[in-house]
Amino acid sequence: MGQKEKLIRRLLSGPKDFTFEEAEELLGYFGYARSNKGKTSGSRVMFVGQDLAPILLHKPHPRKELLDYQLKQLIDILTEEGLL
């Protein structure tokens, strides 16, 4: 099993310690790229991909883990796009 599959299984299991970096890595496997909105974007990070719905995530701070609602949002969008 490759790293992509491991991250998918981990995301779908709903862990409390799924980090923003893991989400960014997984989105990269699906063809998404990070697109900051400039100097004023702050913790809002947009991920865009060709022919894919954009995903807006708030980068958590000071913690590194995503919150439950962020995991659900990520799973929902990736499912709607047919990636999960």
Side-chain angles (χ1 to χ4, degrees), residues 3-81:
Q3 185 65 19
K4 177 182 174 182
E5 291 79 17
K6 287 179 183 177
L7 281 174
I8 291 171
R9 290 180 80 180
R10 183 162 154 67
L11 172 67
L12 294 176
S13 73
K16 298 289 185 195
D17 60 348
F18 197 84
T19 66
F20 182 85
E21 288 74 24
E22 288 175 306
E24 186 171 19
E25 183 178 350
L26 180 61
L27 290 172
Y29 287 129
F30 289 128
Y32 281 92
R34 187 176 183 162
S35 173
N36 290 345
K37 296 180 181 181
K39 292 181 180 178
T40 60
S41 69
S43 63
R44 294 172 293 163
V45 180
M46 178 78 69
F47 292 92
V48 294
Q50 187 174 8
D51 300 324
L52 296 169
I55 298 175
L56 179 66
L57 288 176
H58 284 91
K59 187 173 182 180
H61 53 83
R63 68 187 187 289
K64 296 179 181 179
E65 297 79 23
L66 296 178
L67 297 173
D68 288 339
Y69 83 91
Q70 293 173 302
L71 288 177
K72 183 178 178 343
Q73 175 189 22
L74 190 56
I75 291 169
D76 289 347
I77 293 171
L78 293 176
T79 301
E80 286 175 16
E81 289 295 314

